[in-house]
Amino acid sequence: MRRIYIWACVMAAATGAIFAGDWPQFRGPSASGVGDGAKPPVTWDATKGTHILWSVEIPGLADSSPIVWGDQVFVTTAISSDPKQTFRIGAYGDTDPVNDNSPHKWEVLAIDKKTGKILWQQVAHEGVPKTKRHPKSSQASPTPVTNGKVVVAYFGSEGLYAYSTSGELLWKKDLGLQNAGWFFDPDSEWGAASSPVIYKNMVILQCDRQKDSFIAAFDLKDGRELWRTARAEIPSWGTPTIVAGKDHTEVATNAPKAIRGYDADTGKQLWSMGPNSEVVCTTPVSAQGLIYVTAGYPPVQPIYAIKVGSSGDLTLKDGKESSDAIAWSKQRGGVYLPSPLVYDERLYTVANNGVLSVYDAKSGTRIYQQRVGEGGSYVASPVVAAGKLYISSEDGDVFVVKAGPQYELLSKNPIGEPILATPALAGDLLLVRGAKHLFAIKE
């Protein structure tokens, strides 16, 4: 308990005070996907209005996730002037992007957590998108981030924007063309998806693109660039993760050419390792003194458990699955789109086809593997609270599975529209973003 308390204090000092009920970034505190203290519902039916506190239609098309601070929920969206634009769900391997050249509006919205009323709605940018998007993606895929004072939204090639929690534009920054797509075919533009994260007085952004990739930190007050580190990297879509260590705070990043760690205060690269998948979409998570990284694009589909505080080239020698810096690893079993989570000393991963795999987080021993539901396609990352996993399918169902060493499905709950965004946890609320609406679910 003392270690947990100390860790909580370190993270509060690093990112600003986070209280029960706050979900400040993609996958919540430290990108963990864990809602400590949250007590979300187990059963509901949005198609019948059962246990739905409120729902609000969000204009446009976006698979960015909702975030929560206090009594406000923040979401982003991109509104095409072409009303026929939609997501293409299901399992497919097409690489062709959606070529929507219609004028768009990129917006940030604040919603009252108790009532669903839209408190403010600001247009960040208007114009024709500078890049195309993947059929499962959108022009507003990155999730915003907040520290309770500033809300930062990233729209890829359309820029980085900071607002006060009352909706005042504080600053904006043009980061240039963020052309992220299939490295084999530069014309296959898929759109940016890596979300910004906040550390101390800065917002950190991972920009992996076809040329001149980088990671950089910007002052929350005025957008001034504090540090920038070039990355010899091809496009990736994972969000960086802040990891508090004994000697320094690290930024863990996941990408095809290398998995890397940086000093969060200076941007200096601390460590790197490979091999990794050629297409990387997942976000690292940290627990048990380890950083867990997974990727699922074949043929390399690794899982790595990297020790916090490592340095140098951590690449394992041929035939080795562990080292002084790597607690354990696997070259098969990594997942492609949903990011992993660690809960009660177990690592949980969900594959695109809905196969849930559970491992001992310290040793890597697989405990069980089970398909959730009846197949389908899964893009959203799982979240967990109160001993229950929440796993969302593109078909519009959220499966509640008991966390633990044995598979137990507790409920299957329809939303009534496709789900590509990761849910948020806020006290006794579960916030689920469908293709058209944001739902606040309370039992």
Side-chain angles (χ1 to χ4, degrees):
M1 288 299 294
R2 178 174 172 80
R3 286 199 301 269
I4 293 173
Y5 174 76
I6 292 173
W7 176 86
C9 290
V10 170
M11 289 310 299
T15 61
I18 297 173
F19 302 98
D22 291 336
W23 194 261
Q25 66 165 78
F26 175 65
R27 303 199 75 213
S30 303
S32 65
V34 179
D36 284 333
K39 296 180 180 179
V42 178
T43 59
W44 67 89
D45 187 338
T47 64
K48 298 178 180 178
T50 306
H51 295 153
I52 304 301
L53 179 65
W54 52 260
S55 66
V56 59
E57 183 175 359
I58 306 297
L61 196 68
D63 41 20
S64 56
S65 302
I67 61 171
V68 183
W69 194 284
D71 289 330
Q72 288 183 291
V73 180
F74 302 98
V75 295
T76 60
T77 189
I79 306 170
S80 171
S81 56
D82 180 359
K84 296 180 181 179
Q85 291 299 315
T86 186
F87 294 115
R88 180 185 168 197
I89 65 171
Y92 55 88
D94 300 2
T95 62
D96 292 340
V98 176
N99 190 12
D100 179 12
N101 291 319
S102 67
H104 280 58
K105 288 183 180 181
W106 285 261
E107 294 189 352
V108 182
L109 297 86
I111 298 166
D112 188 296
K113 187 177 74 172
K114 296 179 180 178
T115 66
K117 177 184 177 182
I118 295 178
L119 301 173
W120 54 263
Q121 186 171 353
Q122 296 286 11
V123 177
H125 182 77
E126 293 185 73
V128 175
K130 297 175 183 176
T131 63
K132 305 167 188 175
R133 66 174 177 87
H134 190 279
K136 285 186 190 290
S137 186
S138 70
Q139 294 290 351
S141 293
T143 296
V145 63
T146 184
N147 62 356
K149 298 178 180 179
V150 180
V151 181
V152 181
Y154 174 53
F155 293 115
S157 299
E158 278 64 45
L160 186 67
Y161 299 82
Y163 293 87
S164 69
T165 53
S166 59
E168 176 190 2
L169 178 64
L170 302 176
W171 53 265
K172 60 183 180 180
K173 200 166 188 69
D174 183 354
L175 298 175
L177 187 66
Q178 302 300 316
N179 184 2
W182 195 28
F183 62 94
F184 277 135
D185 182 5
D187 291 331
S188 292
E189 300 171 351
W190 292 342
S194 183
S195 300
V197 296
I198 287 176
Y199 168 69
K200 290 183 177 177
N201 66 322
M202 63 184 77
V203 57
I204 297 175
L205 195 60
Q206 178 179 337
C207 297
D208 290 341
R209 50 193 185 175
Q210 297 287 5
K211 295 180 180 179
D212 302 322
S213 298
F214 64 91
I215 185 170
F218 306 92
D219 195 304
L220 276 175
K221 183 183 297 184
D222 54 17
R224 177 173 54 92
E225 188 171 300
L226 299 175
W227 55 257
R228 177 184 292 226
T229 303
R231 287 164 58 82
E233 198 51 81
I234 59 178
S236 74
W237 294 267
T239 295
T241 298
I242 305 297
V243 181
K246 181 180 178 181
D247 298 322
H248 46 244
T249 298
E250 301 178 19
V251 184
T253 66
N254 193 11
K257 289 192 174 181
I259 301 160
R260 301 175 179 88
Y262 299 87
D263 187 306
D265 289 288
T266 66
K268 178 184 177 182
Q269 183 174 306
L270 301 171
W271 54 265
S272 66
M273 70 168 301
N276 204 6
S277 296
E278 291 178 339
V279 179
V280 171
C281 304
T282 55
T283 295
V285 295
S286 182
Q288 313 287 333
L290 300 171
I291 302 169
Y292 299 87
V293 183
T294 179
Y297 187 85
V300 182
Q301 300 170 299
I303 305 175
Y304 294 110
I306 305 164
K307 296 179 182 179
V308 176
S310 298
S311 61
D313 184 356
L314 311 184
T315 301
L316 292 164
K317 295 181 179 179
D318 289 345
K320 297 292 184 180
E321 295 183 348
S322 63
S323 67
D324 290 342
I326 310 299
W328 59 268
S329 69
K330 298 179 183 297
Q331 287 303 304
R332 295 298 299 270
V335 293
Y336 185 32
L337 291 173
S339 295
L341 61 81
V342 178
Y343 185 73
D344 281 351
E345 300 187 354
R346 298 181 186 92
L347 172 70
Y348 296 84
T349 67
V350 177
N352 286 26
N353 61 2
V355 172
L356 171 65
S357 299
V358 184
Y359 303 86
D360 182 289
K362 292 182 178 180
S363 68
T365 301
R366 195 173 75 188
I367 299 171
Y368 77 78
Q369 193 172 67
Q370 174 72 43
R371 186 181 299 275
V372 177
E374 300 174 354
S377 181
Y378 295 73
V379 170
S381 298
V383 296
V384 64
K388 303 171 187 68
L389 297 162
Y390 292 78
I391 302 171
S392 306
S393 76
E394 286 185 47
D395 292 329
D397 295 310
V398 180
F399 297 89
V400 183
V401 175
K402 185 177 180 180
Q406 295 180 328
Y407 180 79
E408 182 180 346
L409 178 64
L410 300 177
S411 62
K412 174 185 175 181
N413 306 287
I415 287 295
E417 54 192 62
I419 304 172
L420 291 93
T422 297
L425 299 165
D428 56 359
L429 288 184
L430 176 69
L431 293 161
V432 178
R433 183 174 192 172
K436 293 295 183 182
H437 295 81
L438 176 65
F439 298 87
I441 306 165
K442 181 178 180 180
E443 212 162 38

